[in-house]
Amino acid sequence: MTPSDRIATLASFFSCSPQEAAKVDAATRLVHYRHKDILAHQGDLGAKLWIVLEGRAQLQIIGIDGQTKLLAAHGPGELFGAFPHERIVISDVVARNRLTVLEIATAKMTSLLQEEARIGSGLSKILGRQYNAVLDRMAARITLTANGRVYAELLHEAGEEDRISPPPVIAALALSAQTTRETGSRAINALERRGIIRRDDEQLKILSRNLLEDLVI
């Protein structure tokens, strides 16, 4: 991604001018992570924010039963990390598939927000969307079956293009859906047998969104 591409992305992200976005870009560092790379460990002092450009990051904690639990997940167009001040990280932050982020020190972001009101306004909208997404996940956890949660997560990750590239790692998808890898694998295999999705080494493609949406129960 070129500097001009990053600035255009940030301008869209924060609903600000290219000039304002250029200030954010100048304060950030472009970082690429591989699948299962750790961005931060539970108990670390968090002093950074990450803006997701590509891929997905999962915030994982160990439950009282010793099993890994998903606290939250963040994809393109989302932001996470220590804000508005440095704080102790409450979960491991793990890259899922390939993850590309813009990394910025919490102190730098706080200074930018004090200088540029439109960036602050854009950030409030982003955090509002993410808050609603967290509520949606909580509601799904309460009301949907395990398979239904897998299918809802699949629709969420595929977005309007109805595709996920590279194809999702089943264990990570199942964790996002708050279920086991075995349940996630069975649910995805059932979709393939019915011709609702198609998978190969390059992507997972949803062939019938309507049929998949009907299974979110």
Side-chain angles (χ1 to χ4, degrees), residues 69 136-145 149 177-179:
K69 307 291 185 180
D136 288 343
R137 282 184 184 276
M138 291 176 65
R141 183 73 177 92
I142 295 169
T143 61
L144 296 179
T145 64
R149 294 196 300 273
Q178 296 289 338
T179 190

Side-chain angles (χ1 to χ4, degrees), residues 14-16 18 25 40 58 74 144 164 175 193 198 202 212:
F14 287 104
S15 300
C16 64
D25 183 63
Q58 291 187 332
H74 298 287
L144 296 179
I164 305 172
L175 183 61
R193 288 195 301 270
R198 181 176 64 238
E202 299 297 323
L212 183 54

Side-chain angles (χ1 to χ4, degrees), residues 42-99:
Q42 184 174 352
D44 287 349
L45 176 62
K48 297 177 182 177
L49 284 166
W50 292 276
I51 301 168
V52 182
L53 300 179
E54 296 178 355
R56 188 168 292 270
Q58 291 187 332
L59 280 60
Q60 302 176 3
I61 58 176
I62 304 298
I64 58 175
D65 58 358
Q67 298 298 311
T68 300
K69 307 291 185 180
L70 181 70
L71 181 63
H74 298 287
E78 295 185 330
L79 177 149
F80 65 96
F83 181 79
H85 308 293
E86 296 181 1
R87 58 168 294 176
I88 299 299
V89 179
I90 62 173
S91 67
D92 289 344
V93 182
V94 185
R96 175 174 168 181
N97 292 332
R98 295 187 295 270
L99 175 66

Side-chain angles (χ1 to χ4, degrees), residues 127-139:
L127 295 178
R129 289 196 300 269
Q130 293 183 198
Y131 172 74
N132 289 331
V134 169
L135 292 181
D136 288 343
R137 282 184 184 276
M138 291 176 65

